[in-house]
Amino acid sequence: GAVVSQHPSRVICKSGTSVKIECRSLDFQATTMFWYRQFPKQSLMLMATSNEGSKATYEQGVEKDKFLINHASLTLSTLTVTSAHPEDSSFYICSARDVGGRGGNYGYTFGSGTRLTVV
Amino acid sequence: GENVEQHPSTLSVQEGDSAVIKCTYSDSASNYFPWYKQELGKGPQLIIDIRSNVGEKKDQRIAVTLNKTAKHFSLHITETQPEDSAVYFCAASRPDTGNQFYFGTGTSLTVIP
C-alpha cells in the first residue's frame, strides 16, 4: 500500500531557531499534501494544503511566514517552522494523496508524525 | 465549512465487550467518512471507511454505519481486545473535490483486560 515517510519523528530545538520537517511519498506521486497540527489530547487541525509546483493554501489563523511549506516535487513536501517558540511545540502530521487516488481512503495516507519540542 | 462532532470523548469497556463511537456532520455534501486509529506518538491509521452510497460496512470486528438523512455515522468494535486501546477519530470529507478531511475531536478507548 501507499507509504508516507515523515522525518524527523522527534526534534528538540532552541527557541528562535528553525526546524524543517519532511514528508515523502515513497511509492506514489502526490499532487496534494496536507499539513496538520495536533495538540495533546486534541484533534488534528489542518494548517495548510500544498500542491506541487504552486503556493500552499493556509488555513485561517496560520501564519504563512512562520510555517513555510514547499512542495517542490511530486514526492516531497517540507514544513519549516521558522523562529520557533515554545508555543509551537506540537505534533505535526502530513498527509499525501496518491495522484491516481488508488486504494482505500481515496488515496490519502498519513505520515507517522513529528513531535516538535521548543525549549 | 464542515463541522464534525464526536462522542464520547473517553470510553472504557471490558475486554470482549463492544464499543460504539458516534459522529455527526453538518455538510450534507460530504460523501466520504473514514475512521482512524491513532496510537500514542504515531500518525492516524485508517481502519475503515464508508462512502455516502452505502449504509453499512463491516470488516471482521469493525463496522461502520451511516445515516445520511440524520447526518451521523458510527463505529462499532465487537469483541474488544486490549490492543484496541487507542484514540479513534472520525472524519468527513469530499475527497472527489480534493477537499481536506474534517476530523472529529477523538475518542480515547480503553479496553480493560
Side-chain angles (χ1 to χ4, degrees):
Chain A
V3 177
V4 172
S5 175
Q6 188 173 339
H7 290 283
S9 58
R10 291 176 177 270
V11 58
I12 300 173
C13 71
K14 292 184 177 181
S15 186
T17 61
S18 295
V19 174
K20 180 183 285 188
I21 302 170
E22 291 188 349
C23 181
R24 292 181 183 271
S25 55
L26 297 186
D27 51 0
F28 66 97
Q29 293 184 325
T31 54
T32 303
M33 289 187 175
F34 302 89
W35 286 96
Y36 294 85
R37 183 174 182 175
Q38 186 179 32
F39 289 107
K41 298 186 178 181
Q42 293 189 22
S43 189
L44 286 76
M45 298 301 296
L46 182 69
M47 298 174 65
T49 302
S50 73
N51 295 293
E52 186 268 338
S54 63
K55 290 184 178 180
T57 303
Y58 290 81
E59 295 300 298
Q60 191 173 9
V62 178
E63 299 176 59
K64 60 181 66 178
D65 293 332
K66 180 168 188 60
F67 298 99
L68 301 178
I69 292 172
N70 187 308
H71 192 164
S73 77
L74 285 172
T75 59
L76 174 64
S77 176
T78 60
L79 168 68
T80 301
V81 183
T82 62
S83 187
H85 292 283
E87 56 265 32
D88 298 324
S89 298
S90 188
F91 194 54
Y92 293 87
I93 306 170
C94 70
S95 173
R97 186 181 186 212
D98 187 338
V99 170
R102 292 178 292 269
N105 207 28
Y106 275 93
Y108 289 91
T109 302
F110 284 85
S112 53
T114 297
R115 171 72 60 194
L116 170 63
T117 303
V118 184
V119 298
Chain B
E2 175 68 276
N3 181 44
V4 179
E5 296 189 355
Q6 183 172 345
H7 299 279
S9 57
T10 60
L11 179 61
S12 292
V13 299
Q14 291 289 332
E15 182 177 359
D17 287 350
S18 296
V20 180
I21 303 171
K22 299 181 179 181
C23 286
T24 61
Y25 61 99
S26 61
D27 187 354
S28 57
S30 290
N31 58 12
Y32 177 64
F33 309 93
W35 283 90
Y36 295 90
K37 177 182 181 181
Q38 186 178 28
E39 297 178 337
L40 191 63
K42 297 183 179 180
Q45 294 293 315
L46 176 73
I47 55 171
I48 196 167
D49 57 6
I50 192 167
R51 305 187 184 191
S52 59
N53 59 346
V54 176
E56 183 174 359
K57 184 177 178 180
K58 189 174 182 180
D59 182 5
Q60 299 183 338
R61 297 187 297 110
I62 296 173
V64 56
T65 58
L66 170 66
N67 184 326
K68 284 194 299 182
T69 303
K71 295 204 282 289
H72 67 70
F73 55 113
S74 300
L75 176 71
H76 305 254
I77 305 174
T78 59
E79 301 173 25
T80 53
Q81 301 167 2
E83 50 265 38
D84 294 329
S85 297
V87 178
Y88 291 81
F89 290 97
C90 63
S93 178
R94 289 188 59 193
D96 51 313
T97 63
N99 279 4
Q100 63 167 301
F101 286 10
Y102 293 88
F103 286 87
T105 48
T107 296
S108 178
L109 172 65
T110 301
V111 180
I112 304 166

